[in-house]
Short mmCIF file of all heavy atoms in Angstrom, two decimals:
data_model
loop_
_atom_site.label_atom_id
_atom_site.label_comp_id
_atom_site.label_asym_id
_atom_site.label_seq_id
_atom_site.Cartn_x
_atom_site.Cartn_y
_atom_site.Cartn_z
N MET A 1 117.90 15.77 -8.65
CA MET A 1 116.91 16.36 -7.76
C MET A 1 115.63 16.62 -8.55
O MET A 1 115.66 17.10 -9.67
CB MET A 1 117.49 17.67 -7.22
CG MET A 1 116.66 18.24 -6.08
SD MET A 1 117.39 19.79 -5.51
CE MET A 1 116.04 20.91 -5.83
N THR A 2 114.52 16.26 -7.94
CA THR A 2 113.26 16.49 -8.63
C THR A 2 112.70 17.85 -8.23
O THR A 2 113.05 18.40 -7.19
CB THR A 2 112.22 15.41 -8.29
OG1 THR A 2 112.02 15.40 -6.89
CG2 THR A 2 112.68 14.04 -8.76
N ASP A 3 111.86 18.34 -9.06
CA ASP A 3 111.25 19.65 -8.86
C ASP A 3 109.75 19.47 -8.96
O ASP A 3 109.14 19.67 -9.99
CB ASP A 3 111.76 20.61 -9.92
CG ASP A 3 111.24 22.01 -9.72
OD1 ASP A 3 110.74 22.29 -8.60
OD2 ASP A 3 111.33 22.83 -10.64
N LEU A 4 109.17 18.95 -7.87
CA LEU A 4 107.78 18.54 -7.89
C LEU A 4 106.83 19.74 -7.62
O LEU A 4 106.95 20.37 -6.59
CB LEU A 4 107.56 17.46 -6.86
CG LEU A 4 106.34 16.56 -7.06
CD1 LEU A 4 106.45 15.77 -8.36
CD2 LEU A 4 106.20 15.62 -5.89
N GLU A 5 105.97 20.00 -8.58
CA GLU A 5 104.99 21.05 -8.40
C GLU A 5 103.66 20.38 -7.98
O GLU A 5 103.38 19.27 -8.37
CB GLU A 5 104.77 21.82 -9.71
CG GLU A 5 106.03 22.50 -10.22
CD GLU A 5 105.87 23.06 -11.61
OE1 GLU A 5 104.74 23.20 -12.08
OE2 GLU A 5 106.89 23.34 -12.24
N ARG A 6 102.87 21.11 -7.25
CA ARG A 6 101.65 20.55 -6.69
C ARG A 6 100.49 21.51 -6.90
O ARG A 6 100.61 22.72 -6.67
CB ARG A 6 101.91 20.38 -5.19
CG ARG A 6 100.76 19.90 -4.36
CD ARG A 6 101.16 19.98 -2.91
NE ARG A 6 102.14 18.97 -2.56
CZ ARG A 6 102.02 18.17 -1.51
NH1 ARG A 6 100.98 18.28 -0.69
NH2 ARG A 6 102.93 17.27 -1.26
N TYR A 7 99.39 20.98 -7.41
CA TYR A 7 98.19 21.78 -7.67
C TYR A 7 97.02 21.00 -7.14
O TYR A 7 96.85 19.82 -7.44
CB TYR A 7 98.03 22.00 -9.19
CG TYR A 7 99.28 22.56 -9.84
CD1 TYR A 7 100.25 21.72 -10.34
CD2 TYR A 7 99.49 23.93 -9.88
CE1 TYR A 7 101.42 22.23 -10.91
CE2 TYR A 7 100.65 24.45 -10.43
CZ TYR A 7 101.59 23.60 -10.94
OH TYR A 7 102.75 24.10 -11.49
N GLU A 8 96.12 21.63 -6.38
CA GLU A 8 95.03 20.85 -5.84
C GLU A 8 93.76 21.63 -5.64
O GLU A 8 93.76 22.87 -5.47
CB GLU A 8 95.45 20.14 -4.58
CG GLU A 8 95.80 21.05 -3.43
CD GLU A 8 96.36 20.26 -2.23
OE1 GLU A 8 97.23 19.39 -2.43
OE2 GLU A 8 95.93 20.53 -1.11
N THR A 9 92.65 20.90 -5.65
CA THR A 9 91.37 21.38 -5.19
C THR A 9 91.08 20.61 -3.91
O THR A 9 91.92 19.83 -3.45
CB THR A 9 90.27 21.11 -6.22
OG1 THR A 9 90.07 19.69 -6.33
CG2 THR A 9 90.64 21.67 -7.60
N ASP A 10 89.88 20.76 -3.38
CA ASP A 10 89.57 19.95 -2.19
C ASP A 10 89.32 18.48 -2.58
O ASP A 10 89.27 17.61 -1.72
CB ASP A 10 88.40 20.52 -1.39
CG ASP A 10 87.13 20.63 -2.21
OD1 ASP A 10 87.17 20.39 -3.43
OD2 ASP A 10 86.09 20.95 -1.62
N ALA A 11 89.19 18.21 -3.90
CA ALA A 11 88.86 16.85 -4.34
C ALA A 11 90.05 16.08 -4.90
O ALA A 11 90.10 14.85 -4.84
CB ALA A 11 87.77 16.91 -5.40
N ILE A 12 90.99 16.79 -5.50
CA ILE A 12 92.09 16.07 -6.17
C ILE A 12 93.37 16.89 -6.09
O ILE A 12 93.36 18.13 -6.14
CB ILE A 12 91.73 15.77 -7.64
CG1 ILE A 12 92.75 14.81 -8.27
CG2 ILE A 12 91.56 17.04 -8.47
CD1 ILE A 12 92.30 14.26 -9.64
N ARG A 13 94.49 16.16 -5.95
CA ARG A 13 95.80 16.78 -6.00
C ARG A 13 96.52 16.26 -7.24
O ARG A 13 96.54 15.04 -7.48
CB ARG A 13 96.60 16.41 -4.75
CG ARG A 13 98.06 16.86 -4.82
CD ARG A 13 98.83 16.40 -3.59
NE ARG A 13 98.25 16.98 -2.39
CZ ARG A 13 98.07 16.33 -1.24
NH1 ARG A 13 98.46 15.07 -1.12
NH2 ARG A 13 97.52 16.92 -0.20
N VAL A 14 97.09 17.17 -8.01
CA VAL A 14 97.86 16.80 -9.17
C VAL A 14 99.29 17.26 -8.92
O VAL A 14 99.52 18.40 -8.52
CB VAL A 14 97.32 17.49 -10.45
CG1 VAL A 14 98.19 17.16 -11.66
CG2 VAL A 14 95.88 17.07 -10.71
N THR A 15 100.24 16.37 -9.14
CA THR A 15 101.64 16.76 -9.03
C THR A 15 102.30 16.64 -10.40
O THR A 15 101.90 15.81 -11.21
CB THR A 15 102.39 15.91 -7.99
OG1 THR A 15 102.29 14.54 -8.34
CG2 THR A 15 101.85 16.15 -6.59
N TYR A 16 103.29 17.44 -10.57
CA TYR A 16 103.98 17.51 -11.86
C TYR A 16 105.49 17.58 -11.60
O TYR A 16 105.94 18.45 -10.85
CB TYR A 16 103.52 18.76 -12.63
CG TYR A 16 104.36 19.07 -13.83
CD1 TYR A 16 104.34 18.27 -14.95
CD2 TYR A 16 105.19 20.20 -13.84
CE1 TYR A 16 105.11 18.53 -16.06
CE2 TYR A 16 105.96 20.49 -14.97
CZ TYR A 16 105.93 19.65 -16.06
OH TYR A 16 106.71 19.93 -17.14
N ASP A 17 106.21 16.71 -12.24
CA ASP A 17 107.67 16.66 -12.09
C ASP A 17 108.29 17.10 -13.41
O ASP A 17 108.30 16.35 -14.39
CB ASP A 17 108.10 15.25 -11.73
CG ASP A 17 109.58 15.17 -11.39
OD1 ASP A 17 110.36 16.05 -11.86
OD2 ASP A 17 109.97 14.22 -10.68
N SER A 18 108.77 18.33 -13.45
CA SER A 18 109.28 18.88 -14.72
C SER A 18 110.51 18.14 -15.20
O SER A 18 110.82 18.14 -16.40
CB SER A 18 109.58 20.37 -14.56
OG SER A 18 110.54 20.55 -13.55
N GLY A 19 111.23 17.47 -14.30
CA GLY A 19 112.41 16.71 -14.70
C GLY A 19 112.06 15.42 -15.44
O GLY A 19 112.93 14.85 -16.11
N VAL A 20 110.81 15.01 -15.35
CA VAL A 20 110.36 13.77 -15.96
C VAL A 20 109.59 14.03 -17.24
O VAL A 20 109.58 13.23 -18.16
CB VAL A 20 109.52 12.97 -14.94
CG1 VAL A 20 108.86 11.75 -15.57
CG2 VAL A 20 110.36 12.56 -13.73
N CYS A 21 108.94 15.17 -17.34
CA CYS A 21 108.06 15.51 -18.47
C CYS A 21 108.84 15.45 -19.78
O CYS A 21 109.96 15.94 -19.90
CB CYS A 21 107.54 16.93 -18.28
SG CYS A 21 106.56 17.55 -19.67
N VAL A 22 108.25 14.80 -20.80
CA VAL A 22 108.87 14.74 -22.11
C VAL A 22 108.25 15.74 -23.09
O VAL A 22 108.50 15.69 -24.28
CB VAL A 22 108.79 13.29 -22.72
CG1 VAL A 22 109.60 12.34 -21.85
CG2 VAL A 22 107.34 12.82 -22.83
N HIS A 23 107.41 16.60 -22.56
CA HIS A 23 106.83 17.68 -23.34
C HIS A 23 106.08 17.19 -24.57
O HIS A 23 106.14 17.78 -25.64
CB HIS A 23 107.90 18.72 -23.71
CG HIS A 23 108.58 19.27 -22.50
ND1 HIS A 23 107.95 20.12 -21.60
CD2 HIS A 23 109.83 19.04 -21.99
CE1 HIS A 23 108.79 20.40 -20.60
NE2 HIS A 23 109.92 19.75 -20.81
N ALA A 24 105.39 16.07 -24.38
CA ALA A 24 104.58 15.52 -25.47
C ALA A 24 103.30 16.32 -25.64
O ALA A 24 102.63 16.17 -26.65
CB ALA A 24 104.26 14.05 -25.18
N ALA A 25 102.95 17.14 -24.65
CA ALA A 25 101.75 17.98 -24.68
C ALA A 25 100.46 17.18 -24.71
O ALA A 25 99.42 17.70 -25.08
CB ALA A 25 101.81 18.98 -25.81
N GLU A 26 100.56 15.92 -24.35
CA GLU A 26 99.35 15.08 -24.28
C GLU A 26 98.31 15.71 -23.35
O GLU A 26 97.11 15.74 -23.66
CB GLU A 26 99.75 13.71 -23.76
CG GLU A 26 98.69 12.67 -23.78
CD GLU A 26 98.41 12.17 -25.19
OE1 GLU A 26 99.33 12.11 -26.01
OE2 GLU A 26 97.25 11.88 -25.44
N CYS A 27 98.78 16.22 -22.24
CA CYS A 27 97.87 16.80 -21.26
C CYS A 27 97.20 18.06 -21.81
O CYS A 27 95.98 18.26 -21.61
CB CYS A 27 98.63 17.11 -19.98
SG CYS A 27 100.14 18.08 -20.22
N ILE A 28 97.93 18.88 -22.51
CA ILE A 28 97.41 20.14 -23.00
C ILE A 28 96.40 19.90 -24.12
O ILE A 28 95.35 20.55 -24.20
CB ILE A 28 98.59 21.04 -23.48
CG1 ILE A 28 99.39 21.49 -22.24
CG2 ILE A 28 98.11 22.24 -24.27
CD1 ILE A 28 100.74 22.09 -22.55
N ARG A 29 96.68 18.93 -24.96
CA ARG A 29 95.74 18.56 -26.01
C ARG A 29 94.49 17.94 -25.46
O ARG A 29 93.38 18.18 -25.92
CB ARG A 29 96.40 17.61 -27.00
CG ARG A 29 97.16 18.28 -28.12
CD ARG A 29 97.39 17.30 -29.26
NE ARG A 29 98.14 16.12 -28.83
CZ ARG A 29 99.45 16.07 -28.79
NH1 ARG A 29 100.18 17.10 -29.20
NH2 ARG A 29 100.08 14.98 -28.36
N GLY A 30 94.66 17.10 -24.45
CA GLY A 30 93.55 16.31 -23.95
C GLY A 30 92.57 17.06 -23.07
O GLY A 30 91.38 16.80 -23.10
N LEU A 31 93.07 17.98 -22.27
CA LEU A 31 92.21 18.68 -21.31
C LEU A 31 92.72 20.13 -21.17
O LEU A 31 93.24 20.53 -20.12
CB LEU A 31 92.22 17.95 -19.97
CG LEU A 31 91.05 18.22 -18.99
CD1 LEU A 31 89.71 17.83 -19.61
CD2 LEU A 31 91.26 17.45 -17.70
N PRO A 32 92.54 20.93 -22.20
CA PRO A 32 93.15 22.25 -22.22
C PRO A 32 92.59 23.21 -21.18
O PRO A 32 93.27 24.19 -20.82
CB PRO A 32 92.89 22.76 -23.64
CG PRO A 32 91.79 21.93 -24.17
CD PRO A 32 91.86 20.61 -23.48
N GLU A 33 91.38 22.94 -20.67
CA GLU A 33 90.84 23.85 -19.64
C GLU A 33 91.57 23.68 -18.31
O GLU A 33 91.54 24.56 -17.47
CB GLU A 33 89.32 23.68 -19.47
CG GLU A 33 88.86 22.29 -19.06
CD GLU A 33 88.56 21.39 -20.23
OE1 GLU A 33 89.35 21.36 -21.21
OE2 GLU A 33 87.53 20.69 -20.18
N VAL A 34 92.27 22.58 -18.14
CA VAL A 34 93.04 22.33 -16.91
C VAL A 34 94.53 22.51 -17.16
O VAL A 34 95.23 23.12 -16.35
CB VAL A 34 92.76 20.91 -16.37
CG1 VAL A 34 93.72 20.55 -15.23
CG2 VAL A 34 91.31 20.81 -15.89
N PHE A 35 95.03 21.97 -18.27
CA PHE A 35 96.47 22.02 -18.57
C PHE A 35 96.68 23.06 -19.66
O PHE A 35 96.37 22.83 -20.84
CB PHE A 35 96.98 20.64 -19.02
CG PHE A 35 96.77 19.58 -17.99
CD1 PHE A 35 95.63 18.78 -18.01
CD2 PHE A 35 97.68 19.39 -16.96
CE1 PHE A 35 95.43 17.78 -17.06
CE2 PHE A 35 97.51 18.40 -16.01
CZ PHE A 35 96.37 17.60 -16.05
N ASN A 36 97.18 24.21 -19.28
CA ASN A 36 97.33 25.30 -20.24
C ASN A 36 98.69 25.98 -19.98
O ASN A 36 98.89 26.66 -18.97
CB ASN A 36 96.18 26.29 -20.04
CG ASN A 36 96.27 27.47 -20.98
OD1 ASN A 36 97.28 27.67 -21.66
ND2 ASN A 36 95.22 28.27 -21.04
N ALA A 37 99.60 25.77 -20.91
CA ALA A 37 100.96 26.30 -20.72
C ALA A 37 100.98 27.82 -20.68
O ALA A 37 101.94 28.41 -20.18
CB ALA A 37 101.85 25.79 -21.85
N ASP A 38 99.93 28.48 -21.17
CA ASP A 38 99.88 29.94 -21.17
C ASP A 38 99.25 30.51 -19.91
O ASP A 38 99.23 31.73 -19.73
CB ASP A 38 99.10 30.43 -22.40
CG ASP A 38 99.80 30.05 -23.69
OD1 ASP A 38 101.05 30.01 -23.71
OD2 ASP A 38 99.10 29.77 -24.69
N ALA A 39 98.69 29.65 -19.09
CA ALA A 39 98.00 30.14 -17.87
C ALA A 39 98.97 30.12 -16.69
O ALA A 39 100.02 29.49 -16.72
CB ALA A 39 96.81 29.24 -17.57
N GLN A 40 98.60 30.79 -15.66
CA GLN A 40 99.40 30.86 -14.43
C GLN A 40 98.48 30.60 -13.25
O GLN A 40 97.60 31.42 -13.00
CB GLN A 40 100.07 32.24 -14.33
CG GLN A 40 101.11 32.34 -13.28
CD GLN A 40 102.23 31.35 -13.43
OE1 GLN A 40 102.33 30.42 -12.65
NE2 GLN A 40 103.06 31.52 -14.44
N PRO A 41 98.61 29.51 -12.56
CA PRO A 41 99.53 28.40 -12.82
C PRO A 41 99.07 27.57 -14.02
O PRO A 41 97.93 27.66 -14.42
CB PRO A 41 99.44 27.57 -11.51
CG PRO A 41 98.07 27.83 -11.00
CD PRO A 41 97.75 29.26 -11.38
N TRP A 42 99.97 26.75 -14.54
CA TRP A 42 99.63 26.08 -15.80
C TRP A 42 98.73 24.87 -15.62
O TRP A 42 98.14 24.41 -16.58
CB TRP A 42 100.89 25.74 -16.57
CG TRP A 42 101.61 24.47 -16.17
CD1 TRP A 42 102.47 24.34 -15.14
CD2 TRP A 42 101.50 23.18 -16.81
NE1 TRP A 42 102.93 23.03 -15.10
CE2 TRP A 42 102.36 22.31 -16.12
CE3 TRP A 42 100.80 22.72 -17.91
CZ2 TRP A 42 102.49 20.97 -16.47
CZ3 TRP A 42 100.94 21.38 -18.26
CH2 TRP A 42 101.78 20.53 -17.56
N ILE A 43 98.59 24.39 -14.39
CA ILE A 43 97.62 23.33 -14.10
C ILE A 43 96.58 23.90 -13.15
O ILE A 43 96.90 24.36 -12.06
CB ILE A 43 98.31 22.11 -13.45
CG1 ILE A 43 99.38 21.53 -14.39
CG2 ILE A 43 97.28 21.04 -13.11
CD1 ILE A 43 100.18 20.36 -13.80
N GLN A 44 95.30 23.86 -13.59
CA GLN A 44 94.21 24.38 -12.78
C GLN A 44 93.11 23.32 -12.67
O GLN A 44 92.14 23.33 -13.44
CB GLN A 44 93.68 25.68 -13.38
CG GLN A 44 94.79 26.75 -13.44
CD GLN A 44 94.30 28.15 -13.75
OE1 GLN A 44 93.15 28.49 -13.50
NE2 GLN A 44 95.18 28.96 -14.29
N PRO A 45 93.27 22.38 -11.73
CA PRO A 45 92.37 21.24 -11.67
C PRO A 45 90.94 21.61 -11.34
O PRO A 45 90.02 20.81 -11.55
CB PRO A 45 92.98 20.34 -10.58
CG PRO A 45 93.91 21.22 -9.82
CD PRO A 45 94.36 22.28 -10.77
N GLN A 46 90.70 22.82 -10.85
CA GLN A 46 89.34 23.21 -10.51
C GLN A 46 88.48 23.44 -11.75
O GLN A 46 87.27 23.61 -11.65
CB GLN A 46 89.36 24.49 -9.65
CG GLN A 46 89.77 25.78 -10.36
CD GLN A 46 91.27 26.01 -10.38
OE1 GLN A 46 92.07 25.08 -10.23
NE2 GLN A 46 91.67 27.27 -10.59
N HIS A 47 89.08 23.44 -12.93
CA HIS A 47 88.34 23.73 -14.16
C HIS A 47 87.74 22.49 -14.83
O HIS A 47 87.22 22.61 -15.95
CB HIS A 47 89.23 24.49 -15.15
CG HIS A 47 89.50 25.88 -14.70
ND1 HIS A 47 90.59 26.61 -15.16
CD2 HIS A 47 88.87 26.68 -13.83
CE1 HIS A 47 90.59 27.81 -14.58
NE2 HIS A 47 89.56 27.87 -13.76
N ALA A 48 87.81 21.36 -14.19
CA ALA A 48 87.18 20.16 -14.77
C ALA A 48 86.79 19.23 -13.64
O ALA A 48 87.23 19.39 -12.49
CB ALA A 48 88.14 19.45 -15.72
N ASP A 49 85.95 18.26 -13.98
CA ASP A 49 85.56 17.26 -13.01
C ASP A 49 86.81 16.48 -12.56
O ASP A 49 87.67 16.15 -13.38
CB ASP A 49 84.58 16.31 -13.71
CG ASP A 49 84.10 15.22 -12.79
OD1 ASP A 49 83.11 15.45 -12.08
OD2 ASP A 49 84.75 14.14 -12.76
N PRO A 50 86.94 16.20 -11.26
CA PRO A 50 88.11 15.49 -10.76
C PRO A 50 88.38 14.17 -11.49
O PRO A 50 89.52 13.79 -11.71
CB PRO A 50 87.81 15.24 -9.29
CG PRO A 50 86.76 16.23 -8.93
CD PRO A 50 86.01 16.56 -10.17
N ASN A 51 87.32 13.49 -11.87
CA ASN A 51 87.51 12.22 -12.62
C ASN A 51 88.13 12.47 -13.98
O ASN A 51 88.97 11.68 -14.44
CB ASN A 51 86.18 11.48 -12.80
CG ASN A 51 85.67 10.94 -11.47
OD1 ASN A 51 86.38 10.26 -10.77
ND2 ASN A 51 84.43 11.25 -11.14
N ALA A 52 87.72 13.54 -14.64
CA ALA A 52 88.28 13.88 -15.93
C ALA A 52 89.74 14.27 -15.80
O ALA A 52 90.60 13.90 -16.62
CB ALA A 52 87.50 15.04 -16.56
N VAL A 53 90.09 14.97 -14.73
CA VAL A 53 91.49 15.32 -14.46
C VAL A 53 92.29 14.04 -14.25
O VAL A 53 93.37 13.86 -14.83
CB VAL A 53 91.59 16.24 -13.22
CG1 VAL A 53 93.05 16.50 -12.87
CG2 VAL A 53 90.85 17.57 -13.46
N ALA A 54 91.76 13.13 -13.44
CA ALA A 54 92.48 11.87 -13.17
C ALA A 54 92.70 11.09 -14.45
O ALA A 54 93.78 10.53 -14.69
CB ALA A 54 91.70 11.06 -12.16
N GLU A 55 91.65 11.00 -15.29
CA GLU A 55 91.77 10.24 -16.54
C GLU A 55 92.87 10.84 -17.44
O GLU A 55 93.63 10.14 -18.07
CB GLU A 55 90.44 10.21 -17.28
CG GLU A 55 89.42 9.28 -16.64
CD GLU A 55 89.96 7.87 -16.42
OE1 GLU A 55 90.49 7.32 -17.39
OE2 GLU A 55 89.88 7.38 -15.31
N GLN A 56 92.93 12.15 -17.46
CA GLN A 56 93.95 12.80 -18.29
C GLN A 56 95.34 12.57 -17.72
O GLN A 56 96.30 12.30 -18.46
CB GLN A 56 93.66 14.29 -18.43
CG GLN A 56 94.56 14.99 -19.42
CD GLN A 56 94.44 14.37 -20.82
OE1 GLN A 56 93.36 14.17 -21.32
NE2 GLN A 56 95.58 14.06 -21.43
N VAL A 57 95.45 12.66 -16.42
CA VAL A 57 96.76 12.40 -15.77
C VAL A 57 97.28 10.99 -16.12
O VAL A 57 98.46 10.80 -16.38
CB VAL A 57 96.66 12.63 -14.25
CG1 VAL A 57 97.87 12.04 -13.54
CG2 VAL A 57 96.51 14.10 -13.94
N LYS A 58 96.34 10.03 -16.19
CA LYS A 58 96.73 8.65 -16.49
C LYS A 58 97.33 8.54 -17.89
O LYS A 58 98.05 7.58 -18.20
CB LYS A 58 95.55 7.72 -16.37
CG LYS A 58 95.11 7.45 -14.95
CD LYS A 58 93.94 6.46 -14.98
CE LYS A 58 93.18 6.44 -13.68
NZ LYS A 58 91.88 5.75 -13.83
N ARG A 59 96.97 9.46 -18.77
CA ARG A 59 97.45 9.39 -20.15
C ARG A 59 98.83 10.05 -20.33
O ARG A 59 99.38 10.02 -21.41
CB ARG A 59 96.45 10.05 -21.10
CG ARG A 59 95.15 9.28 -21.18
CD ARG A 59 94.24 9.81 -22.29
NE ARG A 59 92.87 9.35 -22.04
CZ ARG A 59 91.87 10.10 -21.59
NH1 ARG A 59 92.07 11.39 -21.38
NH2 ARG A 59 90.70 9.61 -21.37
N CYS A 60 99.34 10.66 -19.30
CA CYS A 60 100.67 11.26 -19.40
C CYS A 60 101.70 10.17 -19.71
O CYS A 60 101.83 9.22 -18.94
CB CYS A 60 101.01 11.96 -18.08
SG CYS A 60 102.71 12.54 -17.97
N PRO A 61 102.39 10.25 -20.82
CA PRO A 61 103.27 9.14 -21.24
C PRO A 61 104.52 8.99 -20.38
O PRO A 61 105.12 7.93 -20.35
CB PRO A 61 103.61 9.49 -22.68
CG PRO A 61 103.45 10.96 -22.78
CD PRO A 61 102.36 11.33 -21.82
N SER A 62 104.93 10.01 -19.68
CA SER A 62 106.19 9.97 -18.95
C SER A 62 106.04 9.66 -17.49
O SER A 62 107.01 9.30 -16.82
CB SER A 62 106.87 11.32 -19.08
OG SER A 62 106.15 12.29 -18.36
N GLY A 63 104.82 9.81 -16.96
CA GLY A 63 104.64 9.69 -15.52
C GLY A 63 104.95 10.97 -14.76
O GLY A 63 104.99 10.98 -13.55
N ALA A 64 105.20 12.05 -15.50
CA ALA A 64 105.48 13.33 -14.82
C ALA A 64 104.26 13.81 -14.03
O ALA A 64 104.42 14.46 -12.99
CB ALA A 64 105.84 14.38 -15.86
N LEU A 65 103.10 13.50 -14.53
CA LEU A 65 101.85 13.87 -13.82
C LEU A 65 101.39 12.69 -12.97
O LEU A 65 101.39 11.54 -13.42
CB LEU A 65 100.75 14.22 -14.82
CG LEU A 65 100.92 15.49 -15.66
CD1 LEU A 65 99.82 15.58 -16.68
CD2 LEU A 65 100.93 16.73 -14.77
N GLN A 66 101.01 12.98 -11.76
CA GLN A 66 100.43 11.98 -10.87
C GLN A 66 99.24 12.65 -10.20
O GLN A 66 99.15 13.88 -10.13
CB GLN A 66 101.44 11.56 -9.80
CG GLN A 66 102.73 10.97 -10.35
CD GLN A 66 102.56 9.58 -10.92
OE1 GLN A 66 101.68 8.83 -10.51
NE2 GLN A 66 103.40 9.23 -11.89
N TYR A 67 98.32 11.84 -9.68
CA TYR A 67 97.19 12.43 -8.97
C TYR A 67 96.86 11.58 -7.77
O TYR A 67 97.23 10.42 -7.66
CB TYR A 67 95.96 12.56 -9.88
CG TYR A 67 95.26 11.24 -10.12
CD1 TYR A 67 94.24 10.81 -9.30
CD2 TYR A 67 95.70 10.40 -11.16
CE1 TYR A 67 93.62 9.58 -9.52
CE2 TYR A 67 95.09 9.19 -11.37
CZ TYR A 67 94.05 8.78 -10.55
OH TYR A 67 93.45 7.55 -10.75
N GLN A 68 96.10 12.22 -6.90
CA GLN A 68 95.60 11.56 -5.68
C GLN A 68 94.26 12.19 -5.37
O GLN A 68 94.16 13.43 -5.34
CB GLN A 68 96.61 11.85 -4.59
CG GLN A 68 96.30 11.21 -3.26
CD GLN A 68 97.34 11.66 -2.21
OE1 GLN A 68 98.24 12.45 -2.46
NE2 GLN A 68 97.13 11.16 -1.01
N PHE A 69 93.23 11.37 -5.23
CA PHE A 69 91.93 11.92 -4.81
C PHE A 69 92.02 12.26 -3.33
O PHE A 69 92.51 11.50 -2.51
CB PHE A 69 90.80 10.90 -5.03
CG PHE A 69 90.41 10.77 -6.48
CD1 PHE A 69 90.49 9.55 -7.14
CD2 PHE A 69 89.95 11.87 -7.18
CE1 PHE A 69 90.12 9.42 -8.47
CE2 PHE A 69 89.57 11.76 -8.53
CZ PHE A 69 89.63 10.55 -9.16
N LEU A 70 91.52 13.43 -2.99
CA LEU A 70 91.55 13.88 -1.59
C LEU A 70 90.25 13.58 -0.90
O LEU A 70 90.15 13.61 0.31
CB LEU A 70 91.89 15.39 -1.55
CG LEU A 70 93.22 15.74 -2.21
CD1 LEU A 70 93.44 17.25 -2.17
CD2 LEU A 70 94.37 15.02 -1.55
N LYS A 71 89.21 13.34 -1.68
CA LYS A 71 87.97 12.79 -1.13
C LYS A 71 87.34 11.96 -2.23
O LYS A 71 87.71 12.09 -3.39
CB LYS A 71 87.02 13.90 -0.65
CG LYS A 71 86.54 14.82 -1.77
CD LYS A 71 85.65 15.90 -1.22
CE LYS A 71 85.03 16.74 -2.34
NZ LYS A 71 84.29 17.89 -1.87
N GLN A 72 86.41 11.12 -1.89
CA GLN A 72 85.83 10.24 -2.89
C GLN A 72 85.14 11.06 -3.98
O GLN A 72 84.35 11.96 -3.66
CB GLN A 72 84.78 9.33 -2.23
CG GLN A 72 85.42 8.19 -1.47
CD GLN A 72 86.35 7.36 -2.34
OE1 GLN A 72 87.55 7.63 -2.46
NE2 GLN A 72 85.83 6.33 -2.95
N PRO A 73 85.43 10.77 -5.26
CA PRO A 73 84.75 11.48 -6.33
C PRO A 73 83.26 11.14 -6.34
O PRO A 73 82.89 10.05 -5.93
CB PRO A 73 85.44 10.98 -7.60
CG PRO A 73 86.16 9.73 -7.20
CD PRO A 73 86.41 9.79 -5.72
N GLN A 74 82.45 12.07 -6.79
CA GLN A 74 80.99 11.86 -6.83
C GLN A 74 80.64 10.88 -7.92
O GLN A 74 81.24 10.87 -8.95
CB GLN A 74 80.29 13.21 -7.11
CG GLN A 74 80.62 14.29 -6.11
CD GLN A 74 80.22 13.93 -4.70
OE1 GLN A 74 79.09 13.50 -4.47
NE2 GLN A 74 81.12 14.07 -3.74
S1 SF4 B 1 101.37 14.70 -20.78
FE1 SF4 B 1 103.00 14.39 -19.29
S2 SF4 B 1 104.84 14.27 -20.48
FE2 SF4 B 1 103.30 15.21 -21.80
S3 SF4 B 1 103.53 17.42 -21.50
FE3 SF4 B 1 102.00 16.71 -20.07
S4 SF4 B 1 103.15 16.33 -18.19
FE4 SF4 B 1 104.63 16.39 -19.85
#
């Protein structure tokens, strides 16, 4: 069973599957203003440009992070 978490702004939705994450911390190193294990919630996509969030999500080595633009990025 997957445990899919969902975080979104009006521009982008980020989903996270904790069962898939390999805890490489690539996301936290790459974009700490959005991915912060000490914050609540730990993913806050409103803190960066949606394109930057998407680029970081693409670097997730496990595929635990996925994104979907909810409107066309500027
Ligand atoms: S980059 Fe992906 S695999 Fe690595 S900690 Fe973040 S969500 Fe998990």
Side-chain angles (χ1 to χ4, degrees):
M1 193 181 118
T2 59
D3 184 15
L4 201 63
E5 300 171 15
R6 175 188 289 229
Y7 307 90
E8 64 186 46
T9 66
D10 59 352
I12 190 168
R13 172 183 299 139
V14 177
T15 58
Y16 169 69
D17 187 336
S18 60
V20 172
C21 176
V22 295
H23 303 290
E26 187 73 34
C27 50
I28 291 167
R29 273 198 300 274
L31 200 59
E33 60 269 44
V34 170
F35 301 94
N36 180 349
D38 297 326
Q40 191 58 251
W42 82 277
I43 300 176
Q44 300 193 24
Q46 71 273 22
H47 290 158
D49 180 87
N51 290 308
V53 174
E55 286 307 309
Q56 188 59 49
V57 165
K58 287 182 197 166
R59 292 189 199 106
C60 171
S62 68
L65 292 173
Q66 301 287 333
Y67 74 92
Q68 182 184 1
F69 284 121
L70 301 178
K71 63 181 186 187
Q72 283 304 89
Q74 304 299 311

